[in-house]
mmCIF file of all heavy atoms in Angstrom:
data_model
loop_
_atom_site.group_PDB
_atom_site.id
_atom_site.type_symbol
_atom_site.label_atom_id
_atom_site.label_comp_id
_atom_site.label_asym_id
_atom_site.label_seq_id
_atom_site.Cartn_x
_atom_site.Cartn_y
_atom_site.Cartn_z
ATOM 1 N N SER A 713 7.010 1.468 -6.801
ATOM 2 C CA SER A 713 8.043 0.704 -6.051
ATOM 3 C C SER A 713 8.819 1.537 -5.064
ATOM 4 O O SER A 713 9.450 1.041 -4.142
ATOM 5 C CB SER A 713 8.964 -0.048 -6.942
ATOM 6 O OG SER A 713 9.809 0.880 -7.702
ATOM 7 N N THR A 714 8.745 2.888 -5.202
ATOM 8 C CA THR A 714 9.426 3.765 -4.301
ATOM 9 C C THR A 714 8.599 3.897 -2.982
ATOM 10 O O THR A 714 9.177 4.427 -1.979
ATOM 11 C CB THR A 714 9.554 5.171 -4.898
ATOM 12 O OG1 THR A 714 8.245 5.748 -5.193
ATOM 13 C CG2 THR A 714 10.344 5.181 -6.129
ATOM 14 N N VAL A 715 7.386 3.386 -2.953
ATOM 15 C CA VAL A 715 6.585 3.409 -1.765
ATOM 16 C C VAL A 715 6.240 2.044 -1.289
ATOM 17 O O VAL A 715 6.551 1.577 -0.173
ATOM 18 C CB VAL A 715 5.322 4.220 -1.953
ATOM 19 C CG1 VAL A 715 4.362 4.075 -0.773
ATOM 20 C CG2 VAL A 715 5.638 5.697 -2.183
ATOM 21 N N VAL A 716 5.593 1.211 -2.198
ATOM 22 C CA VAL A 716 5.117 -0.126 -1.810
ATOM 23 C C VAL A 716 6.299 -1.056 -1.678
ATOM 24 O O VAL A 716 6.969 -1.307 -2.662
ATOM 25 C CB VAL A 716 4.072 -0.598 -2.812
ATOM 26 C CG1 VAL A 716 3.618 -2.024 -2.463
ATOM 27 C CG2 VAL A 716 2.839 0.362 -2.821
ATOM 28 N N GLY A 717 6.526 -1.622 -0.499
ATOM 29 C CA GLY A 717 7.561 -2.530 -0.259
ATOM 30 C C GLY A 717 8.918 -1.897 -0.186
ATOM 31 O O GLY A 717 9.930 -2.610 -0.083
ATOM 32 N N ALA A 718 9.022 -0.575 -0.279
ATOM 33 C CA ALA A 718 10.268 0.143 -0.317
ATOM 34 C C ALA A 718 10.926 0.192 1.084
ATOM 35 O O ALA A 718 10.207 0.553 2.069
ATOM 36 C CB ALA A 718 10.147 1.567 -0.870
ATOM 37 N N GLU A 719 12.219 -0.089 1.169
ATOM 38 C CA GLU A 719 12.940 -0.039 2.433
ATOM 39 C C GLU A 719 12.963 1.474 2.874
ATOM 40 O O GLU A 719 13.274 2.325 2.113
ATOM 41 C CB GLU A 719 14.331 -0.570 2.298
ATOM 42 C CG GLU A 719 15.125 -0.660 3.539
ATOM 43 C CD GLU A 719 16.474 -1.294 3.377
ATOM 44 O OE1 GLU A 719 16.754 -1.795 2.318
ATOM 45 O OE2 GLU A 719 17.260 -1.236 4.346
ATOM 46 N N GLY A 720 12.646 1.635 4.135
ATOM 47 C CA GLY A 720 12.699 3.084 4.670
ATOM 48 C C GLY A 720 11.315 3.699 4.635
ATOM 49 O O GLY A 720 11.170 4.745 5.340
ATOM 50 N N VAL A 721 10.305 3.129 3.981
ATOM 51 C CA VAL A 721 8.915 3.688 4.083
ATOM 52 C C VAL A 721 8.217 2.791 5.118
ATOM 53 O O VAL A 721 7.968 1.656 4.871
ATOM 54 C CB VAL A 721 8.266 3.607 2.718
ATOM 55 C CG1 VAL A 721 6.815 4.108 2.841
ATOM 56 C CG2 VAL A 721 8.965 4.502 1.691
ATOM 57 N N ASP A 722 7.829 3.506 6.222
ATOM 58 C CA ASP A 722 7.253 2.764 7.402
ATOM 59 C C ASP A 722 5.678 2.606 7.223
ATOM 60 O O ASP A 722 5.145 1.577 7.590
ATOM 61 C CB ASP A 722 7.561 3.444 8.641
ATOM 62 C CG ASP A 722 9.006 3.606 8.842
ATOM 63 O OD1 ASP A 722 9.675 2.599 9.136
ATOM 64 O OD2 ASP A 722 9.611 4.738 8.728
ATOM 65 N N ILE A 723 5.070 3.666 6.763
ATOM 66 C CA ILE A 723 3.572 3.713 6.694
ATOM 67 C C ILE A 723 3.220 4.071 5.261
ATOM 68 O O ILE A 723 3.688 5.052 4.693
ATOM 69 C CB ILE A 723 2.985 4.696 7.686
ATOM 70 C CG1 ILE A 723 3.374 4.291 9.129
ATOM 71 C CG2 ILE A 723 1.460 4.802 7.543
ATOM 72 C CD1 ILE A 723 3.117 5.351 10.161
ATOM 73 N N VAL A 724 2.265 3.307 4.662
ATOM 74 C CA VAL A 724 1.747 3.643 3.359
ATOM 75 C C VAL A 724 0.355 4.179 3.474
ATOM 76 O O VAL A 724 -0.553 3.575 4.077
ATOM 77 C CB VAL A 724 1.732 2.408 2.418
ATOM 78 C CG1 VAL A 724 1.072 2.733 1.069
ATOM 79 C CG2 VAL A 724 3.142 1.860 2.255
ATOM 80 N N VAL A 725 0.125 5.406 2.920
ATOM 81 C CA VAL A 725 -1.200 5.989 2.981
ATOM 82 C C VAL A 725 -1.794 5.935 1.538
ATOM 83 O O VAL A 725 -1.205 6.431 0.559
ATOM 84 C CB VAL A 725 -1.141 7.478 3.438
ATOM 85 C CG1 VAL A 725 -2.486 8.157 3.262
ATOM 86 C CG2 VAL A 725 -0.617 7.605 4.828
ATOM 87 N N GLU A 726 -2.979 5.316 1.440
ATOM 88 C CA GLU A 726 -3.568 5.135 0.108
ATOM 89 C C GLU A 726 -4.826 6.000 0.056
ATOM 90 O O GLU A 726 -5.844 5.835 0.765
ATOM 91 C CB GLU A 726 -3.954 3.650 -0.077
ATOM 92 C CG GLU A 726 -4.483 3.397 -1.462
ATOM 93 C CD GLU A 726 -6.017 3.558 -1.506
ATOM 94 O OE1 GLU A 726 -6.732 3.040 -0.653
ATOM 95 O OE2 GLU A 726 -6.542 4.253 -2.482
ATOM 96 N N VAL A 727 -4.799 6.992 -0.905
ATOM 97 C CA VAL A 727 -5.907 7.890 -1.119
ATOM 98 C C VAL A 727 -6.186 8.006 -2.601
ATOM 99 O O VAL A 727 -6.578 9.004 -3.130
ATOM 100 C CB VAL A 727 -5.691 9.288 -0.481
ATOM 101 C CG1 VAL A 727 -5.895 9.259 1.062
ATOM 102 C CG2 VAL A 727 -4.303 9.808 -0.793
ATOM 103 N N MET A 728 -5.978 6.849 -3.287
ATOM 104 C CA MET A 728 -6.233 6.760 -4.709
ATOM 105 C C MET A 728 -7.723 6.565 -5.074
ATOM 106 O O MET A 728 -8.292 7.088 -6.005
ATOM 107 C CB MET A 728 -5.428 5.655 -5.354
ATOM 108 C CG MET A 728 -3.927 5.787 -5.218
ATOM 109 S SD MET A 728 -3.094 4.134 -5.404
ATOM 110 C CE MET A 728 -3.778 3.676 -7.060
ATOM 111 N N GLY A 729 -8.297 5.645 -4.246
ATOM 112 C CA GLY A 729 -9.692 5.306 -4.548
ATOM 113 C C GLY A 729 -9.760 4.099 -5.458
ATOM 114 O O GLY A 729 -8.771 3.799 -6.164
ATOM 115 N N GLY A 730 -10.927 3.511 -5.578
ATOM 116 C CA GLY A 730 -11.136 2.358 -6.452
ATOM 117 C C GLY A 730 -10.539 1.054 -5.885
ATOM 118 O O GLY A 730 -9.719 1.081 -4.936
ATOM 119 N N ILE A 731 -10.921 -0.070 -6.468
ATOM 120 C CA ILE A 731 -10.464 -1.330 -5.965
ATOM 121 C C ILE A 731 -9.113 -1.761 -6.585
ATOM 122 O O ILE A 731 -8.216 -2.199 -5.904
ATOM 123 C CB ILE A 731 -11.509 -2.418 -6.176
ATOM 124 C CG1 ILE A 731 -12.770 -2.129 -5.252
ATOM 125 C CG2 ILE A 731 -11.042 -3.783 -5.894
ATOM 126 C CD1 ILE A 731 -13.876 -3.086 -5.415
ATOM 127 N N ASP A 732 -9.031 -1.556 -7.886
ATOM 128 C CA ASP A 732 -7.766 -1.874 -8.566
ATOM 129 C C ASP A 732 -7.063 -0.589 -9.063
ATOM 130 O O ASP A 732 -7.793 0.240 -9.600
ATOM 131 C CB ASP A 732 -8.018 -2.869 -9.751
ATOM 132 C CG ASP A 732 -8.516 -4.168 -9.269
ATOM 133 O OD1 ASP A 732 -7.986 -4.730 -8.289
ATOM 134 O OD2 ASP A 732 -9.528 -4.701 -9.817
ATOM 135 N N PRO A 733 -5.779 -0.460 -8.901
ATOM 136 C CA PRO A 733 -4.825 -1.392 -8.336
ATOM 137 C C PRO A 733 -4.646 -1.364 -6.875
ATOM 138 O O PRO A 733 -3.640 -1.955 -6.306
ATOM 139 C CB PRO A 733 -3.511 -0.988 -9.063
ATOM 140 C CG PRO A 733 -3.583 0.481 -9.145
ATOM 141 C CD PRO A 733 -5.073 0.783 -9.354
ATOM 142 N N ALA A 734 -5.515 -0.583 -6.123
ATOM 143 C CA ALA A 734 -5.309 -0.374 -4.700
ATOM 144 C C ALA A 734 -5.198 -1.703 -3.891
ATOM 145 O O ALA A 734 -4.375 -1.830 -2.996
ATOM 146 C CB ALA A 734 -6.367 0.526 -4.126
ATOM 147 N N ARG A 735 -6.073 -2.698 -4.267
ATOM 148 C CA ARG A 735 -6.096 -3.941 -3.520
ATOM 149 C C ARG A 735 -4.704 -4.615 -3.583
ATOM 150 O O ARG A 735 -4.190 -5.043 -2.562
ATOM 151 C CB ARG A 735 -7.198 -4.823 -4.141
ATOM 152 C CG ARG A 735 -7.198 -6.193 -3.541
ATOM 153 C CD ARG A 735 -8.189 -7.092 -4.304
ATOM 154 N NE ARG A 735 -8.249 -8.415 -3.763
ATOM 155 C CZ ARG A 735 -8.919 -9.392 -4.418
ATOM 156 N NH1 ARG A 735 -9.521 -9.157 -5.572
ATOM 157 N NH2 ARG A 735 -9.002 -10.599 -3.879
ATOM 158 N N ASP A 736 -4.186 -4.687 -4.741
ATOM 159 C CA ASP A 736 -2.832 -5.344 -4.928
ATOM 160 C C ASP A 736 -1.713 -4.578 -4.269
ATOM 161 O O ASP A 736 -0.884 -5.209 -3.526
ATOM 162 C CB ASP A 736 -2.572 -5.485 -6.426
ATOM 163 C CG ASP A 736 -1.154 -6.096 -6.641
ATOM 164 O OD1 ASP A 736 -0.903 -7.234 -6.214
ATOM 165 O OD2 ASP A 736 -0.341 -5.416 -7.230
ATOM 166 N N LEU A 737 -1.753 -3.329 -4.381
ATOM 167 C CA LEU A 737 -0.728 -2.464 -3.801
ATOM 168 C C LEU A 737 -0.714 -2.559 -2.284
ATOM 169 O O LEU A 737 0.309 -2.714 -1.622
ATOM 170 C CB LEU A 737 -0.816 -1.033 -4.242
ATOM 171 C CG LEU A 737 -0.640 -0.765 -5.710
ATOM 172 C CD1 LEU A 737 -0.935 0.726 -6.011
ATOM 173 C CD2 LEU A 737 0.764 -1.136 -6.177
ATOM 174 N N LEU A 738 -1.875 -2.491 -1.678
ATOM 175 C CA LEU A 738 -1.953 -2.521 -0.221
ATOM 176 C C LEU A 738 -1.623 -3.955 0.320
ATOM 177 O O LEU A 738 -1.047 -4.034 1.410
ATOM 178 C CB LEU A 738 -3.284 -2.043 0.311
ATOM 179 C CG LEU A 738 -3.682 -0.551 -0.062
ATOM 180 C CD1 LEU A 738 -4.871 -0.100 0.761
ATOM 181 C CD2 LEU A 738 -2.448 0.348 0.190
ATOM 182 N N THR A 739 -2.088 -4.977 -0.383
ATOM 183 C CA THR A 739 -1.732 -6.281 0.044
ATOM 184 C C THR A 739 -0.204 -6.464 -0.022
ATOM 185 O O THR A 739 0.423 -7.066 0.976
ATOM 186 C CB THR A 739 -2.364 -7.299 -0.872
ATOM 187 O OG1 THR A 739 -3.759 -7.158 -0.881
ATOM 188 C CG2 THR A 739 -2.008 -8.703 -0.542
ATOM 189 N N ARG A 740 0.445 -5.981 -0.993
ATOM 190 C CA ARG A 740 1.960 -6.055 -1.136
ATOM 191 C C ARG A 740 2.588 -5.251 0.010
ATOM 192 O O ARG A 740 3.544 -5.735 0.649
ATOM 193 C CB ARG A 740 2.388 -5.542 -2.453
ATOM 194 C CG ARG A 740 2.109 -6.539 -3.577
ATOM 195 C CD ARG A 740 2.223 -5.856 -4.984
ATOM 196 N NE ARG A 740 3.440 -5.076 -5.114
ATOM 197 C CZ ARG A 740 3.616 -4.206 -6.221
ATOM 198 N NH1 ARG A 740 2.637 -4.108 -7.125
ATOM 199 N NH2 ARG A 740 4.668 -3.518 -6.250
ATOM 200 N N ALA A 741 2.028 -4.122 0.343
ATOM 201 C CA ALA A 741 2.603 -3.272 1.421
ATOM 202 C C ALA A 741 2.537 -3.989 2.752
ATOM 203 O O ALA A 741 3.463 -4.024 3.524
ATOM 204 C CB ALA A 741 1.934 -1.928 1.464
ATOM 205 N N LEU A 742 1.353 -4.560 3.078
ATOM 206 C CA LEU A 742 1.207 -5.240 4.283
ATOM 207 C C LEU A 742 2.075 -6.489 4.418
ATOM 208 O O LEU A 742 2.681 -6.712 5.504
ATOM 209 C CB LEU A 742 -0.339 -5.663 4.436
ATOM 210 C CG LEU A 742 -1.321 -4.566 4.579
ATOM 211 C CD1 LEU A 742 -2.765 -5.107 4.362
ATOM 212 C CD2 LEU A 742 -1.264 -3.920 5.992
ATOM 213 N N LYS A 743 2.230 -7.204 3.372
ATOM 214 C CA LYS A 743 3.086 -8.337 3.368
ATOM 215 C C LYS A 743 4.505 -8.031 3.437
ATOM 216 O O LYS A 743 5.369 -8.830 3.959
ATOM 217 C CB LYS A 743 2.851 -9.242 2.117
ATOM 218 C CG LYS A 743 1.459 -9.928 2.136
ATOM 219 C CD LYS A 743 1.279 -10.741 0.913
ATOM 220 C CE LYS A 743 -0.047 -11.515 0.997
ATOM 221 N NZ LYS A 743 -0.295 -12.359 -0.193
ATOM 222 N N ALA A 744 4.843 -6.786 3.094
ATOM 223 C CA ALA A 744 6.244 -6.301 3.211
ATOM 224 C C ALA A 744 6.496 -5.710 4.605
ATOM 225 O O ALA A 744 7.625 -5.220 4.854
ATOM 226 C CB ALA A 744 6.523 -5.210 2.187
ATOM 227 N N GLY A 745 5.525 -5.731 5.453
ATOM 228 C CA GLY A 745 5.701 -5.238 6.869
ATOM 229 C C GLY A 745 5.456 -3.798 7.022
ATOM 230 O O GLY A 745 5.884 -3.151 7.997
ATOM 231 N N GLN A 746 4.739 -3.203 6.034
ATOM 232 C CA GLN A 746 4.405 -1.735 6.182
ATOM 233 C C GLN A 746 3.011 -1.603 6.712
ATOM 234 O O GLN A 746 2.048 -2.348 6.253
ATOM 235 C CB GLN A 746 4.504 -1.071 4.795
ATOM 236 C CG GLN A 746 5.875 -1.036 4.212
ATOM 237 C CD GLN A 746 5.893 -0.622 2.803
ATOM 238 O OE1 GLN A 746 5.208 -1.118 1.923
ATOM 239 N NE2 GLN A 746 6.738 0.436 2.495
ATOM 240 N N SER A 747 2.763 -0.725 7.647
ATOM 241 C CA SER A 747 1.440 -0.424 8.039
ATOM 242 C C SER A 747 0.766 0.399 6.988
ATOM 243 O O SER A 747 1.427 1.130 6.250
ATOM 244 C CB SER A 747 1.445 0.358 9.400
ATOM 245 O OG SER A 747 1.822 -0.479 10.455
ATOM 246 N N VAL A 748 -0.606 0.254 6.951
ATOM 247 C CA VAL A 748 -1.333 0.883 5.841
ATOM 248 C C VAL A 748 -2.480 1.673 6.471
ATOM 249 O O VAL A 748 -3.179 1.300 7.402
ATOM 250 C CB VAL A 748 -1.958 -0.192 4.879
ATOM 251 C CG1 VAL A 748 -3.020 0.371 4.001
ATOM 252 C CG2 VAL A 748 -0.792 -0.795 4.027
ATOM 253 N N VAL A 749 -2.641 2.970 5.857
ATOM 254 C CA VAL A 749 -3.773 3.814 6.223
ATOM 255 C C VAL A 749 -4.483 4.081 4.899
ATOM 256 O O VAL A 749 -3.880 4.433 3.909
ATOM 257 C CB VAL A 749 -3.314 5.125 6.890
ATOM 258 C CG1 VAL A 749 -4.523 6.087 7.026
ATOM 259 C CG2 VAL A 749 -2.678 4.820 8.226
ATOM 260 N N THR A 750 -5.813 3.863 4.870
ATOM 261 C CA THR A 750 -6.587 4.101 3.635
ATOM 262 C C THR A 750 -7.882 4.792 3.911
ATOM 263 O O THR A 750 -8.538 4.647 5.012
ATOM 264 C CB THR A 750 -6.796 2.735 2.904
ATOM 265 O OG1 THR A 750 -7.610 2.994 1.775
ATOM 266 C CG2 THR A 750 -7.628 1.762 3.782
ATOM 267 N N ALA A 751 -8.328 5.550 2.926
ATOM 268 C CA ALA A 751 -9.614 6.200 2.956
ATOM 269 C C ALA A 751 -10.589 5.576 1.947
ATOM 270 O O ALA A 751 -11.625 6.145 1.645
ATOM 271 C CB ALA A 751 -9.474 7.698 2.711
ATOM 272 N N ASN A 752 -10.224 4.353 1.445
ATOM 273 C CA ASN A 752 -10.891 3.723 0.349
ATOM 274 C C ASN A 752 -12.083 2.883 0.837
ATOM 275 O O ASN A 752 -11.909 1.649 1.105
ATOM 276 C CB ASN A 752 -9.882 2.891 -0.386
ATOM 277 C CG ASN A 752 -10.315 2.416 -1.758
ATOM 278 O OD1 ASN A 752 -11.462 2.250 -1.992
ATOM 279 N ND2 ASN A 752 -9.392 2.284 -2.661
#
């Protein structure tokens, strides 16, 4: 929660890999108005 949907975090970079929980986290970030960069 300090990254996904957090006020003041403009861009979320996901380099965890795998589908879960990355799918849910990135969907939440996008819906919160954060741009997303992923290598997944």
Side-chain angles (χ1 to χ4, degrees):
S713 68
T714 62
V715 172
V716 177
E719 186 175 350
V721 176
D722 301 288
I723 300 169
V724 175
V725 174
E726 184 271 312
V727 282
M728 301 161 52
I731 291 178
D732 295 313
R735 176 189 181 189
D736 175 62
L737 294 176
L738 296 193
T739 300
R740 285 162 50 190
L742 292 166
K743 290 181 176 180
Q746 296 170 307
S747 287
V748 165
V749 173
T750 179
N752 193 330

